[in-house]
Amino acid sequence: TDPDASRLESVFFDSIYWMLMFFAVAFIVFGIFSSVWIFSFGIFALMLGLYAGFVEPYWLRVKRYRLALTEYPSVWMRIVFLSDFHAGSYKRKRFYDRVSSMVASLHPDVIVLGGDLVDERSVSTKDLSSLQRLRAKDGKFFVLGNHDFLDDPDALATRLRSWGFEDLTNEARMVEHEGRKICFVGLDDTWQGQPKMGAAKCEKNAPVILFVHEPDALLDLAEGSANVIMLGHTHGGQLRLPGIGAVRKLPQQVPQGLDVGKKAWRGMPVIISAGLGETGARVRLFCRPEIVVMEVGCGSRERVDHRR
């Protein structure tokens, strides 16, 4: 990804947004002197533009999933997955402070950052400083996304490590939770890095949760590579319409249907986050920013036979 091209894209789409807002106001003024229908259209367009640009992008939600990794789960672990912050673009520190407060209230066992922490410059991590106050008893991890490579990925990774997050890039971490083991695997960014699934080694028979930024990483994953895969990158399209989905074509080689929510790929459950920030356009419509909470069940217990 070219940083100059990324910056130009943001300027272009932001200019279009404000131009459309100008035309909405023009319709309102013209409609006052000509037609109630033109006036009403202008009011609707203005309200929709204000909502999509300044309301929904800040209307955080917690999206919950519950998956059993073994047949008879006896232990449940709560994982919080945060992706696509894009610090340094349209949102400022106060928004990310609110994200951290909401995460803290969820009492996670594990926290994973799924990439694109900054939009362009690594220094923008200053807006994410509240992340260092987060606590997770079983570990905090991160992988980087394509935008994190636009400036200084090493400086960004160093900052995250100083905040207590472990780098999961092409690595595996065995996490023990209430006596049960789960293997957390992270892959390098598909566009800018060198993802190596074979470099991450898990203990035999341990359930595997895989984290990577882009959905295109799925192309190189064989069936059975993981019990569940968690992704970011798509933002859910940012602009969605009921019954249609993402308005804009997503930049990925995998099917466009792998855009947001719970999906499946080669028999493996896939969770795709709508992300927290925006890039290109400042707007979101029917695609609220989200904190993903996934509760996974592991361990096993004997069947209880009530027959006598």
Side-chain angles (χ1 to χ4, degrees):
T1 303
D2 182 353
D4 292 331
S6 178
R7 192 180 307 113
L8 185 62
E9 180 187 45
S10 294
V11 171
F12 174 75
F13 282 109
D14 208 35
S15 298
I16 288 180
Y17 172 80
W18 288 113
M19 187 181 300
L20 292 174
M21 294 293 283
F22 171 81
F23 279 119
V25 173
F27 268 89
I28 293 172
V29 174
F30 183 72
I32 292 174
F33 301 101
S34 61
S35 166
V36 66
W37 295 107
I38 295 176
F39 175 79
S40 299
F41 175 79
I43 289 291
F44 173 78
L46 180 63
M47 293 298 101
L48 183 64
L50 290 173
Y51 170 79
F54 295 96
V55 177
E56 187 164 315
Y58 298 89
W59 189 10
L60 269 170
R61 72 170 181 173
V62 176
K63 182 67 174 178
R64 298 179 183 272
Y65 301 92
R66 189 174 173 88
L67 296 171
L69 304 185
T70 55
E71 188 175 3
Y72 303 110
S74 56
V75 171
W76 290 87
M77 171 188 284
R78 179 173 297 172
I79 302 166
V80 169
F81 181 64
L82 307 171
S83 185
D84 299 277
F85 295 76
H86 287 280
S89 56
Y90 298 111
K91 290 171 174 171
R92 295 297 177 261
K93 185 176 184 300
R94 184 168 61 177
F95 172 80
Y96 302 115
D97 289 349
R98 186 154 59 92
V99 171
S100 295
S101 296
M102 290 181 68
V103 171
S105 70
L106 295 169
H107 305 292
D109 298 308
V110 172
I111 299 172
V112 180
L113 310 181
D116 277 5
L117 284 95
V118 298
D119 193 60
E120 181 181 335
R121 301 181 61 192
S122 62
V123 71
S124 298
T125 51
K126 67 180 186 298
D127 290 341
L128 307 177
S129 59
S130 58
L131 293 176
Q132 65 187 307
R133 299 196 298 268
L134 293 178
R135 298 291 178 265
K137 63 181 182 179
D138 294 326
K140 302 190 299 182
F141 308 102
F142 74 89
V143 293
L144 299 183
N146 56 298
H147 276 256
D148 298 323
F149 285 82
L150 294 180
D151 180 26
D152 192 342
D154 292 334
L156 195 157
T158 298
R159 177 69 61 87
L160 293 175
R161 286 192 290 266
S162 73
W163 291 349
F165 288 87
E166 292 185 55
D167 190 347
L168 208 59
T169 303
N170 293 334
E171 296 282 351
R173 295 286 188 277
M174 294 301 303
V175 175
E176 186 169 337
H177 179 74
E178 297 184 14
R180 305 297 182 181
K181 290 183 178 181
I182 298 178
C183 187
F184 284 70
V185 174
L187 292 183
D188 201 358
D189 181 74
T190 310
W191 289 8
Q192 302 290 340
Q194 295 181 320
K196 299 176 182 178
M197 183 66 184
K201 303 298 182 182
C202 295
E203 291 185 12
K204 188 177 180 180
N205 298 326
V208 176
I209 304 178
L210 177 67
F211 299 88
V212 64
H213 183 65
E214 284 112 355
D216 281 348
L218 297 173
L219 295 170
D220 297 321
L221 295 180
E223 184 177 353
S225 297
N227 293 78
V228 61
I229 303 167
M230 302 194 75
L231 308 166
H233 186 66
T234 68
H235 302 194
Q238 289 188 197
L239 281 169
R240 300 181 66 85
L241 293 178
I244 296 177
V247 172
R248 184 184 176 193
K249 184 178 179 180
L250 299 175
Q252 58 191 42
Q253 296 180 44
V254 293
Q256 293 290 298
L258 293 168
D259 53 359
V260 72
K262 184 180 178 182
K263 308 289 183 175
W265 177 261
R266 294 173 179 168
M268 297 175 287
V270 179
I271 305 297
I272 307 172
S273 171
L276 293 162
E278 295 77 44
T279 188
R282 68 169 62 239
V283 298
R284 281 183 179 264
L285 187 62
F286 300 115
C287 190
R288 289 165 60 186
E290 64 185 23
I291 297 168
V292 173
V293 178
M294 185 173 68
E295 292 188 330
V296 295
C298 56
S300 62
R301 58 170 177 260
E302 298 294 330
R303 283 182 184 271
V304 178
D305 191 347
H306 296 286
R307 294 175 298 176
R308 297 182 182 276

